[in-house]
């Protein structure tokens, strides 16, 4: 993983908040096992050891009412309306917490969204401040199937070596209300896909954008355990985290 050391505040190791609150449905990759760690927890922690960052995990919505300044980046793998009680029976995100999150990112806090992190606020759609920050809105997904990711930005961190395209078996999201200023990194290759939501031209699936002063990276990949163990996915995720950090040098 050819990334720069992830120095955080005051030259210390970077500290990432991995927020996995789930409402309605909890993805298996974020569901804690008998040791209290989920599949994605373990992988992100191991990747952090290689890339030089530490991971603080939370499913508690009140974490967004706390000190966000302590984190060098916010990584969300959430699902559902986070203002509602969660499957884990942890506190919901307050309206103030949501406002503080969006304002923190606009002020420069790096944000990384994975898979269902594009869901919160879907009813309000393009008018929702969180989804405006993420850059798009979830529509639906079909059955898990093998599909292609077309590389649009081959020089983006972590994408080098992925070629012009690659294929994975995953649960693919169809989305809408795309921000017209985003930098598209990967596009969903819809050719041959099964499901009415995919009967459309290729659309953004992984992107980077600026939200005020904050860098936002999102990828729709990551439903399955074997996607998380896939090195191409790991490199792209780490590249997105690396780009989003304040010390990253390239813009969208």
């Amino acid at each position: 993983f050819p990334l720069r050391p992830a120095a955080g505040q005051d030259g210390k190791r970077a500290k990432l908040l991995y927020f996995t609150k789930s409402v309605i449905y909890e993805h298996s990759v974020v569901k804690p096992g008998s040791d209290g760690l989920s599949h994605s927890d373990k992988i992100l922690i191991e990747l952090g050891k290689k890339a030089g960052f530490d991971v603080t995990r939370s499913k508690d919505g009140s974490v967004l009412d706390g000190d966000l300044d302590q984190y060098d980046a916010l990584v969300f793998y959430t699902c559902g309306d986070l203002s509602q009680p969660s499957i884990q029976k942890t506190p919901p995100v307050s309206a103030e917490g949501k406002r503080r999150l969006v304002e923190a990112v606009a002020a420069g806090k790096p944000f990384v969204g994975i898979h269902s992190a594009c869901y919160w606020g879907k009813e309000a759609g393009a008018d929702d401040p969180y989804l405006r920050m993420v850059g798009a809105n979830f529509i639906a997904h079909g059955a898990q199937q093998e599909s292609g990711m077309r590389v649009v930005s081959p020089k983006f961190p972590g994408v080098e070596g992925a070629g012009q395209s690659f294929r994975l078996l995953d649960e693919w999201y169809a989305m809408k209300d795309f921000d017209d200023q985003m930098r598209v990194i990967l596009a969903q290759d819809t050719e041959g896909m099964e499901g009415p939501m995919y009967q459309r031209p290729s659309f953004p699936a992984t992107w980077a954008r600026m939200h005020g002063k904050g860098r936002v990276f999102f990828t729709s990949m990551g439903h399955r355990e074997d996607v998380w163990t896939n090195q191409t996915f790991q490199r792209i995720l780490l590249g997105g985290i690396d780009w989003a950090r304040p010390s990253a040098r390239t813009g969208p």
Side-chain angles (χ1 to χ4, degrees):
F1 299 95
L3 298 177
R4 293 174 289 106
Q9 302 173 36
D10 302 322
K12 298 179 181 178
R13 284 171 61 90
K15 181 179 179 181
L16 274 59
L17 172 65
Y18 186 39
F19 187 51
T20 58
K21 180 178 173 63
S22 301
V23 179
I24 301 176
Y25 179 78
E26 185 174 41
H27 287 76
S28 60
V29 295
V30 300
K31 187 174 183 178
S34 58
D35 58 358
L37 295 173
S38 72
H39 180 76
S40 61
D41 286 338
K42 294 175 182 178
I43 289 178
L44 194 58
I45 290 169
E46 286 302 311
L47 294 178
K49 291 177 181 179
K50 298 175 182 178
F53 59 78
D54 295 323
V55 179
T56 296
R57 301 170 297 109
S58 180
K59 296 179 181 290
D60 184 342
S62 66
V63 71
L64 300 184
D65 292 312
D67 177 20
L68 296 180
D69 289 340
Q70 66 180 299
Y71 304 112
D72 296 286
L74 309 174
V75 181
F76 274 41
Y77 192 136
T78 53
C79 186
D81 180 357
L82 305 184
S83 67
Q84 300 301 314
S86 67
I87 289 174
Q88 308 90 0
K89 307 201 182 300
T90 55
V93 176
S94 66
E96 175 67 9
K98 184 174 184 176
R99 183 191 66 79
R100 292 180 75 247
L101 165 65
V102 174
E103 290 185 354
V105 176
K109 183 67 64 180
F111 179 89
V112 173
I114 305 170
H115 196 50
S116 50
C118 63
Y119 190 102
W120 185 21
K122 69 181 296 290
E123 292 78 12
D127 294 328
D128 183 80
Y130 171 81
L131 289 180
R132 287 202 305 270
M133 178 190 79
V134 171
N137 185 8
F138 171 76
I139 300 174
H141 66 76
Q144 294 181 34
Q145 58 193 288
E146 184 178 294
S147 183
M149 288 280 99
R150 180 166 54 84
V151 175
V152 179
S153 297
K155 294 184 179 180
F156 190 84
V159 180
E160 305 94 333
Q164 295 182 337
S165 65
F166 59 90
R167 297 184 67 81
L168 287 173
L169 173 63
D170 206 0
E171 179 187 83
W172 304 106
Y173 276 13
M175 292 175 285
K176 62 179 181 178
D177 300 330
F178 295 103
D179 172 55
D180 59 8
Q181 298 298 312
M182 67 170 55
R183 175 181 176 179
V184 180
I185 301 165
L186 303 174
Q188 184 79 54
D189 184 357
T190 56
E191 184 176 358
M193 292 188 72
E194 297 179 358
M197 68 287 298
Y198 307 123
Q199 306 313 305
R200 56 189 286 197
S202 296
F203 55 87
T206 298
W207 60 78
R209 64 177 303 271
M210 297 300 296
H211 184 71
K213 297 180 181 179
R215 293 171 178 237
V216 173
F217 172 85
F218 175 83
T219 180
S220 64
M221 298 185 290
H223 178 91
R224 294 171 55 90
E225 282 81 356
D226 55 357
V227 172
W228 275 84
T229 57
N230 182 283
Q231 286 212 349
T232 297
F233 171 78
Q234 291 181 2
R235 289 182 183 275
I236 291 170
L237 177 59
L238 280 175
I241 293 171
D242 187 54
W243 173 85
R245 292 187 295 110
S247 59
R249 297 173 184 172
T250 56

